[in-house]
Amino acid sequence: MLLGGIEAGGTKFVCAVGDEKGNIIEKVSFPTRNPEETLNDVKEFFNHHPIEALGVGSFGPIDLNKDSTSYGMILNTPKIKWKNYNLLGSLKKDFDIPIFIDTDVNAACSAEYKYGAGRDVGSCLYITVGTGIGAGLVQDGRIFQGKNHSEMGHIFVRQHPDDPFEGGCPYHRNCLEGLASGPAIEARYGTKGALLVDNENVWEMEAYYLAQAIMNYTVTLYPERIIVGGGVLKQEGLYPLIRRHLVEMMNGYIDVGEVDKFIVAPELGDAQGVRGAMSLVVL
Amino acid sequence: MLLGGIEAGGTKFVCAVGDEKGNIIEKVSFPTRNPEETLNDVKEFFNHHPIEALGVGSFGPIDLNKDSTSYGMILNTPKIKWKNYNLLGSLKKDFDIPIFIDTDVNAACSAEYKYGAGRDVGSCLYITVGTGIGAGLVQDGRIFQGKNHSEMGHIFVRQHPDDPFEGGCPYHRNCLEGLASGPAIEARYGTKGALLVDNENVWEMEAYYLAQAIMNYTVTLYPERIIVGGGVLKQEGLYPLIRRHLVEMMNGYIDVGEVDKFIVAPELGDAQGVRGAMSLVVL
């Protein structure tokens, strides 16, 4: 069966066709412009491939409540032209095949669960730490979803005692995303994280925040594995720091097994997003 | 169909027989002693009733991982005689009928979802604030469970700026349970919460902690309703305070609808536990 996948990002769209095992046969990428132009490019690409089903991992927030009249629509986004755009509806007009839609982070989690760092466990949480912070949970082949998709990046964490930064979240100021996203690091130090590689305090503080979040996700969701990715985690030294903080914070309360296997890096690299989108069809 | 239910508590056991609608036909209660004596009383009671299935809501921690060799066993509890006791195994020897086991808080959540304050929604989180703090989630007729049951009472919260109490959790000191359980209130003020009814600061601080937890649970799990119960919530003035703090903290980020309908009190009273146990059979 030939599957299609769309990684619908705020900056670029990636479209691919592939098989049920997540192998990519052909892939294209183009910049995200207004919805009509962008979706035309999507249609153009898939018209050359007899796909039988389509998966979409989209930027958000997006309405994923199947009982809602706006199911499949982009919600309140700063990208004005995309606000309230009926992404699923538009795709359904163009493609008369089953279409599966979820958030980009849930699609990434699905990809790691099926093909990557979570392929040997029954449940995994995927956290992405970049421009924003998001997380998704896949368990027993299902993406967890409440009334709508989670917004786990906005949990509250304790401010590090040495952190004077007031936080950058426009809604919550010093929630996790407000303190630990890439832009938060840059705002705190006045320079990008990539230029702070040798400043141990930067990564110690970052690990403190991420470990708190992982502590809270673990006692709440108890996944078998937690995969932490995104641009900020290119700083590989973060992994051992996060693990050390988590072990201290958890203090043996919940058995997470070997912490090196509990908190891991993603394995799928650049194609994670579009493979994730395709994987929504076969999860 | 005649159903049996066991509310297996650390202080007392409640056993009941009833119907699929949660109506109780007969109910007994006896103190929790050692496992053998206690289970003998259980057996004695149900031997007089031709029950066709049995639900058990148990104190914990308990192994609920069906793939585990210790599935259905009480785990690491301060009640020495119950530690590593095979509760499910013992019941299976006595009763050759389907037996459904879960934690007491998940059973309570199930009861409220089917018969109480959550009966008109598709998902609800039940939080109990008493000697400890625990929470359970039921969604679309299923109790949420990761690798094992959640321990949501142990999430980290920010210390209130006016709170000098170091926290009472033996594992995490100032996690939510360490700061906001009944014993935490008593330790902070040197007197029981019930005697502090008129001290507004007590409840303002309590609401601050519980609202933080609800904020974190909401962005993570996004339930349609949150039911807050347990001994500490007998202080009914807490509800409007929790709601006010949550609205401030959330700052419109996630739409929880009318907050008066989002955060509510339980409806089932004293029989909640054993009705919850019975409800596990028919959830």
Side-chain angles (χ1 to χ4, degrees):
Chain A
M1 186 160 91
L2 202 61
L3 307 179
I6 304 173
E7 179 188 352
T11 309
K12 64 172 180 173
F13 266 52
V14 182
C15 297
V17 292
D19 65 19
E20 293 144 286
K21 292 182 177 163
N23 299 307
I24 290 175
I25 295 162
E26 196 177 332
K27 189 174 76 151
V28 296
S29 164
F30 39 82
T32 306
R33 288 146 293 152
N34 68 48
E36 291 69 29
E37 282 177 34
T38 314
L39 270 286
N40 265 342
D41 284 1
V42 169
K43 191 174 173 181
E44 176 71 16
F45 174 72
F46 286 114
N47 275 345
H48 295 97
H49 302 281
I51 55 171
E52 293 177 60
L54 177 63
V56 186
S58 175
F59 71 89
I62 182 168
D63 188 344
L64 294 179
N65 178 353
K66 288 188 180 170
D67 298 330
S68 164
T69 52
S70 52
Y71 174 64
M73 275 172 67
I74 307 285
L75 298 173
N76 195 11
T77 168
K79 297 172 224 307
I80 298 298
K81 289 175 183 169
W82 288 84
K83 188 172 169 175
N84 297 326
Y85 181 70
N86 193 342
L87 179 58
L88 179 62
S90 174
L91 291 167
K92 274 181 184 282
K93 273 187 206 152
D94 289 340
F95 304 101
D96 187 21
I97 52 176
I99 303 179
F100 302 80
I101 191 165
D102 215 310
T103 64
D104 42 12
V105 65
N106 281 343
C109 187
S110 171
E112 293 291 340
Y113 175 84
K114 275 205 80 82
Y115 311 121
R119 65 186 177 280
D120 58 331
V121 289
S123 61
C124 67
L125 184 79
Y126 175 72
I127 308 173
T128 178
V129 187
T131 311
I133 299 183
L137 175 73
V138 174
Q139 180 165 299
D140 300 329
R142 291 157 51 113
I143 294 172
F144 175 82
Q145 187 188 299
K147 187 176 162 192
N148 199 0
H149 60 80
S150 299
E151 290 283 358
M152 297 192 213
H154 291 266
I155 66 166
F156 284 172
V157 289
R158 295 173 183 169
Q159 190 96 8
H160 190 287
D162 298 333
D163 185 8
F165 181 50
E166 64 178 9
C169 173
Y171 287 90
H172 313 118
R173 208 165 43 89
N174 56 351
C175 66
L176 176 70
E177 181 170 296
L179 290 171
S181 65
I185 296 172
E186 188 174 345
R188 181 184 292 114
Y189 297 100
T191 182
K192 283 186 188 297
L195 302 174
L196 295 162
V197 170
D198 297 326
N199 185 334
E200 287 179 19
N201 292 339
V202 174
W203 309 111
E204 185 65 23
M205 191 176 286
E206 181 71 10
Y208 172 78
Y209 289 129
L210 295 177
Q212 274 190 68
I214 290 172
M215 166 82 191
N216 287 356
Y217 301 148
T218 303
V219 296
T220 304
L221 302 170
Y222 209 162
E224 284 182 54
R225 181 161 298 155
I226 291 183
I227 303 162
V228 197
V232 172
L233 273 292
K234 294 210 166 123
Q235 181 71 11
E236 289 180 9
L238 270 171
Y239 291 98
L241 298 179
I242 296 170
R243 293 183 188 117
R244 196 197 73 223
H245 276 290
L246 180 76
V247 167
E248 282 173 14
M249 289 173 186
M250 189 63 85
N251 195 21
Y253 186 67
I254 278 191
D255 177 16
V256 299
E258 290 176 52
V259 73
D260 289 359
K261 292 183 181 171
F262 183 60
I263 297 175
V264 303
E267 291 184 3
L268 295 184
D270 285 343
Q272 182 201 56
V274 75
R275 289 183 77 184
M278 291 198 308
S279 78
L280 296 175
V281 176
V282 292
L283 184 63
Chain B
M1 185 161 93
L2 202 62
L3 306 179
I6 304 174
E7 179 188 352
T11 309
K12 65 173 180 172
F13 267 53
V14 182
C15 296
V17 292
D19 64 21
E20 292 145 287
K21 293 183 178 165
N23 299 306
I24 291 175
I25 294 162
E26 196 177 331
K27 189 175 78 153
V28 295
S29 163
F30 39 83
T32 305
R33 288 144 294 151
N34 68 47
E36 291 70 27
E37 283 174 34
T38 312
L39 270 285
N40 264 341
D41 284 0
V42 169
K43 190 175 174 181
E44 175 69 19
F45 173 73
F46 287 112
N47 276 345
H48 295 96
H49 302 280
I51 55 170
E52 293 177 61
L54 178 63
V56 186
S58 175
F59 72 91
I62 181 165
D63 188 343
L64 294 180
N65 178 352
K66 287 186 178 171
D67 297 330
S68 164
T69 53
S70 52
Y71 175 61
M73 275 173 68
I74 306 285
L75 299 172
N76 195 12
T77 169
K79 297 171 224 306
I80 300 298
K81 288 175 181 168
W82 287 85
K83 188 174 169 173
N84 297 326
Y85 180 70
N86 192 343
L87 179 58
L88 179 62
S90 174
L91 290 167
K92 275 181 182 283
K93 273 187 203 150
D94 289 340
F95 304 101
D96 187 20
I97 52 176
I99 303 179
F100 301 81
I101 191 165
D102 216 308
T103 63
D104 42 12
V105 66
N106 281 342
C109 187
S110 170
E112 294 290 340
Y113 174 83
K114 275 206 78 82
Y115 311 120
R119 67 186 177 280
D120 57 331
V121 289
S123 62
C124 67
L125 184 79
Y126 176 73
I127 309 172
T128 178
V129 187
T131 310
I133 299 182
L137 175 73
V138 174
Q139 180 164 300
D140 299 330
R142 293 157 51 115
I143 293 171
F144 176 82
Q145 187 189 296
K147 188 177 164 192
N148 199 358
H149 60 80
S150 299
E151 290 282 0
M152 300 191 211
H154 291 267
I155 65 166
F156 283 172
V157 288
R158 295 172 182 170
Q159 192 97 7
H160 191 287
D162 298 333
D163 186 8
F165 181 51
E166 65 178 7
C169 173
Y171 287 90
H172 314 119
R173 211 166 43 87
N174 56 353
C175 66
L176 176 70
E177 181 170 295
L179 290 172
S181 66
I185 296 173
E186 188 175 345
R188 182 183 293 115
Y189 297 100
T191 183
K192 282 187 189 298
L195 302 174
L196 295 163
V197 170
D198 298 325
N199 186 333
E200 287 177 18
N201 292 338
V202 174
W203 308 110
E204 185 63 24
M205 190 177 285
E206 181 72 10
Y208 172 78
Y209 289 129
L210 295 177
Q212 274 191 68
I214 289 172
M215 166 82 191
N216 286 356
Y217 301 149
T218 302
V219 296
T220 306
L221 303 169
Y222 209 161
E224 285 183 52
R225 182 163 294 155
I226 293 185
I227 303 163
V228 196
V232 172
L233 272 292
K234 294 209 166 122
Q235 181 72 12
E236 290 179 8
L238 271 171
Y239 291 98
L241 298 179
I242 296 169
R243 292 183 189 118
R244 194 197 73 221
H245 276 292
L246 179 74
V247 168
E248 281 173 14
M249 289 173 184
M250 189 65 83
N251 195 20
Y253 186 68
I254 277 190
D255 177 16
V256 299
E258 290 176 51
V259 72
D260 289 2
K261 291 183 180 170
F262 184 61
I263 299 175
V264 302
E267 292 185 2
L268 296 182
D270 286 345
Q272 183 200 56
V274 75
R275 288 183 77 184
M278 290 198 309
S279 78
L280 297 175
V281 176
V282 291
L283 185 63

